[in-house]
Amino acid sequence: MNFDAYARTAIDLVNAGLDDLAGLRALFSGDQAYMRDQVAEKDLAVFRRAQRRLREVFEHGTTGQDADAVRELNSLLEAYPVQPRISGHDASDWHMHVTSRGASVSAEYLAGAVWGLSVWLCEFGSARFGICADERCGNVYLDTSSNNCRRFCSERCATRSHVAAHRARKRAAGSLTPA
């Protein structure tokens, strides 16, 4: 069972633009593409609430408040319980899913996202939960670096932030030179 993939669904949700139904539909890709057509306007509120709560988990993790992160994840696990099932397309492709296909789109997606993030926390600790250090971004990520030193959600944000810092240092150095 690929818990990382489930944890990534939590990341995708927290980083998603849920301004409208089109934004919510954009969340579903890959194995979850079938959900795109099943989601409705009423699901937006459920996903937005879960998005806020999952962001809180990342905020707790990045500030060393492990007990609060665990408390919030336990509450989310109660709200979106796991219903494991075996799935596959043929006898050589059997694998586990953590939710029932008969569940609503929100119940199916959120149970997997919360389960994956919970397993990730148990395996790696909440110190591996990150919020991008680029002040213009704010996306969350899971730190998979070998020494837990990641500060940015992507290379793009890291580069943008480093270039901005370099330019600021050059401007400051330029203003200190005599005219």
Side-chain angles (χ1 to χ4, degrees):
M1 186 168 208
N2 186 351
F3 294 115
D4 285 354
Y6 281 112
R8 296 238 172 264
T9 62
I11 306 278
D12 293 343
L13 173 57
V14 175
N15 294 338
L18 299 181
D19 297 327
D20 55 20
L21 189 56
L24 179 56
R25 285 189 172 134
L27 180 63
F28 306 111
S29 62
D31 291 342
Q32 299 165 329
Y34 71 92
M35 293 180 178
R36 194 175 299 131
D37 296 329
Q38 296 177 12
V39 74
E41 192 76 34
K42 64 181 170 80
D43 295 310
L44 261 173
V46 175
F47 277 91
R48 285 176 181 152
R49 273 192 306 277
Q51 183 184 50
R52 282 190 300 274
R53 293 182 70 188
L54 287 168
R55 177 169 284 283
E56 287 177 11
V57 170
F58 278 86
E59 290 169 355
H60 293 317
T62 59
T63 57
Q65 299 172 20
D66 289 1
D68 291 331
V70 168
R71 192 172 11 266
E72 186 63 32
L73 281 171
N74 279 332
S75 176
L76 285 162
L77 285 167
E78 288 178 29
Y80 304 103
V82 173
Q83 301 170 339
R85 69 180 171 89
I86 299 172
S87 182
H89 306 290
D90 59 49
S92 65
D93 185 33
W94 298 122
H95 56 278
M96 294 296 296
H97 282 267
V98 297
T99 55
S100 166
R101 257 294 157 84
S104 69
V105 170
S106 59
E108 186 173 346
Y109 185 96
L110 295 172
V114 171
W115 178 257
L117 201 56
S118 298
V119 169
W120 225 88
L121 181 139
C122 290
E123 191 167 335
F124 302 107
S126 70
R128 293 287 183 152
F129 293 178
I131 299 176
C132 188
D134 184 341
E135 61 192 36
R136 294 165 287 186
C137 180
N139 280 346
V140 300
Y141 61 89
L142 296 172
D143 186 348
T144 57
S145 66
S146 60
N147 57 357
N148 195 22
C149 66
R150 188 169 166 191
R151 295 182 39 235
F152 299 95
C153 69
S154 66
E155 285 296 319
R156 180 177 182 225
C157 281
T159 300
R160 183 174 54 204
S161 184
H162 293 131
V163 167
H166 173 74
R167 289 180 178 157
R169 284 190 305 273
K170 292 218 27 137
R171 274 193 305 276
S175 66
L176 297 176
T177 58

